[in-house]
Amino acid sequence: GAKMAAGSGPGARELFAEGLLQFLRPAVRQLDRHVHSVRESQVELREHIDSLATELCRINEDQKVALDLDPYVKKLLNARRRVVLVNNILQNAQERLRRLNHSVAKETVRRRAMLEAGGY
């Protein structure tokens, strides 16, 4: 009736909530995919850093010239530590995203059941 036309009442609220859920679901999934691909590239980066550090250490041991590569190895290890930190942050973010995705899905199922039962 007049209440729904004014954009209030349980019907309008349910419609808005449903629209919000429809919008959130793909956004959360997309964000989750992006976080996942960033985490994969972080792992790749960490592996490259490891092999580069190993190579630098090998060169340092093999060479006859007195060239100190230790500072570079230290820089690489610092970079590696930062990559690991970022990866931990991303892992936590992804865990929260998965929980949010689960909540959104559960809420959607609950709302659909309520709507099909004919009550708000």
Side-chain angles (χ1 to χ4, degrees), residues 42 45-46 49 74-90:
Q42 290 274 311
L45 179 59
R46 194 174 69 219
I49 288 172
K74 279 195 179 94
K75 279 183 183 171
L76 275 173
L77 293 178
N78 273 337
R80 186 193 191 281
R81 203 181 67 241
R82 285 198 298 274
V83 167
V84 169
L85 274 172
V86 167
N87 201 41
N88 289 341
I89 291 167
L90 286 169

Side-chain angles (χ1 to χ4, degrees), residues 12-26:
R13 273 200 302 275
E14 283 303 312
L15 221 65
F16 175 74
E18 186 58 34
L20 193 58
L21 287 173
Q22 295 289 354
F23 168 77
L24 273 177
R25 251 194 317 274

Side-chain angles (χ1 to χ4, degrees), residues 1 15 18 25 28 32 34 39 54 61 63-64 67 74 77-78 83 87-88 97 99 106 109 116 119:
L15 221 65
E18 186 58 34
R25 251 194 317 274
V28 169
D32 187 58
H34 288 319
R39 282 185 64 197
T54 305
E61 287 160 11
Q63 66 172 351
K64 308 289 174 266
L67 177 65
K74 279 195 179 94
L77 293 178
N78 273 337
V83 167
N87 201 41
N88 289 341
L97 276 171
R99 283 199 300 269
K106 229 165 63 174
V109 167
E116 282 162 17

